[in-house]
């Protein structure tokens, strides 16, 4: 099925651990994005990618790493998880960029103990 | 710092009511304003607005942008329980990928 899928849907881990959230899209959209959603803050952009091997920081990039070796995949890694990174993470893709309609995945709820 | 403010924060209405959701913004170099609907999971796209005064319409939903007064409204007529969701407003400004989201309006439609 065409779409954007995130995995895992739920994840519990401990502070200091490395964790990777996966995102896969089947539309061949050029642009992909990672957001976190927290109460009182709305969606905030962590990183985005304009094409394979091109990534750039968003509003809240500290503590996160991304890569994009293939157009369809955009994994997000927390190198050493902290409690403040407990959040719901959404991946999105867009054909023409952030100011155009984005298609979102169903999110990953991440809890860091 | 770019700012997007939505009001009200939450709203409870009865089926059949008409609601108006507000989004005001203060950004540098406005490019577009987008509305999304978020039910339990992923936000889904509703409208994109770039020009003042041109109403976008989809069924019972409509939206309009006022670039002079820096706001947009989302109207929902004859509300149904399926309209219950969080409605998000987002503004693209400055850099091409810079999108600032409001915190959303939570709408609950009761039978």
């Amino acid at each position: 099925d065409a779409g954007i899928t995130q995995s895992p849907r739920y994840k519990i881990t401990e502070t200091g651990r490395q964790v990777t959230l996966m995102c896969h899209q089947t539309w061949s959209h050029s642009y992909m994005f990672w957001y976190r959603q927290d109460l009182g803050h709305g969606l905030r952009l962590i990183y985005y990618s304009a094409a394979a091997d091109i990534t750039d920081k968003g509003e809240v990039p500290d503590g996160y790493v991304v890569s994009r070796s293939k157009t369809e995949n955009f994994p997000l890694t927390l190198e050493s998880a902290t409690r403040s990174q407990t959040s719901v993470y959404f991946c999105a893709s867009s054909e023409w960029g952030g100011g155009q309609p984005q298609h979102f995945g169903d999110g990953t709820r991440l809890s860091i103990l | 710092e770019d700012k997007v403010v939505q009001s009200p924060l939450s709203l409870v209405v009865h089926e059949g009511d008409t609601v108006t959701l507000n989004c005001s913004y203060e950004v540098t170099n406005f490019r577009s304003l987008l509305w999304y609907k978020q039910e339990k999971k992923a936000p889904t796209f509703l409208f994109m607005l770039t020009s003042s005064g041109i109403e976008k319409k989809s069924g019972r939903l409509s939206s309009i942008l006022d670039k002079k007064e820096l706001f947009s409204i989302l109207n929902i007529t004859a509300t149904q329980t399926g309209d219950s969701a969080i409605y998000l407003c987002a503004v693209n400004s400055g850099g091409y990928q810079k999108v600032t989201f409001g915190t959303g309006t939570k709408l609950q439609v009761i039978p």
Side-chain angles (χ1 to χ4, degrees):
Chain A
D1 287 343
I4 183 164
T5 54
Q6 293 183 233
S7 62
R9 289 295 318 282
Y10 304 92
K11 177 77 176 178
I12 300 174
T13 190
E14 297 175 338
T15 55
R17 300 244 183 185
Q18 182 181 83
V19 59
T20 296
L21 310 184
M22 305 300 292
C23 180
H24 175 80
Q25 54 110 350
T26 60
W27 289 298
S28 299
H29 285 165
S30 294
Y31 291 87
M32 295 188 76
F33 308 85
W34 274 107
Y35 294 90
R36 58 179 290 173
Q37 187 174 37
D38 305 288
L39 273 174
H41 285 281
L43 284 158
R44 291 181 291 174
L45 182 64
I46 304 170
Y47 269 95
Y48 70 92
S49 169
D53 297 322
I54 300 175
T55 63
D56 207 348
K57 297 177 181 179
E59 183 184 354
V60 289
D62 293 343
Y64 302 95
V65 174
V66 294
S67 63
R68 194 160 176 215
S69 56
K70 292 184 179 181
T71 300
E72 61 266 30
N73 296 324
F74 191 38
L76 175 74
T77 297
L78 288 67
E79 294 186 297
S80 178
T82 65
R83 289 203 179 96
S84 65
Q85 293 176 309
T86 292
S87 187
V88 180
Y89 290 85
F90 286 98
C91 178
S93 72
S94 170
E95 191 169 3
W96 301 111
Q100 301 293 317
Q102 296 182 42
H103 301 268
F104 286 82
D106 285 342
T108 294
R109 184 174 293 273
L110 177 63
S111 296
I112 300 164
L113 307 178
Chain B
E1 184 181 331
D2 291 351
K3 196 188 298 186
V4 176
V5 178
Q6 293 187 243
S7 63
L9 290 180
S10 65
L11 193 55
V12 180
V13 301
H14 287 96
E15 268 193 317
D17 287 351
T18 293
V19 298
T20 299
L21 309 183
N22 303 291
C23 176
S24 64
Y25 60 90
E26 292 178 30
V27 301
T28 306
N29 297 329
F30 173 91
R31 298 173 67 101
S32 63
L33 185 146
L34 301 99
W35 285 97
Y36 291 88
K37 177 183 182 181
Q38 185 177 20
E39 294 176 87
K40 292 187 178 175
K41 300 177 186 175
T44 54
F45 170 74
L46 294 174
F47 298 110
M48 185 176 81
L49 304 153
T50 56
S51 301
S52 274
I54 299 174
E55 186 182 51
K56 294 281 183 91
K57 200 168 168 66
S58 176
R60 296 175 294 102
L61 278 66
S62 64
S63 183
I64 198 161
L65 174 67
D66 185 329
K67 289 168 73 174
K68 183 179 177 186
E69 299 298 329
L70 308 182
F71 76 92
S72 173
I73 59 172
L74 175 68
N75 278 321
I76 308 175
T77 59
T79 52
Q80 303 171 356
T81 54
D83 295 326
S84 296
I86 297 172
Y87 290 84
L88 299 170
C89 173
V91 175
N92 177 222
S93 62
Y96 192 59
Q97 307 313 326
K98 185 173 181 184
V99 178
T100 304
F101 279 82
T103 54
T105 293
K106 184 175 181 180
L107 174 65
Q108 185 180 357
V109 182
I110 54 179

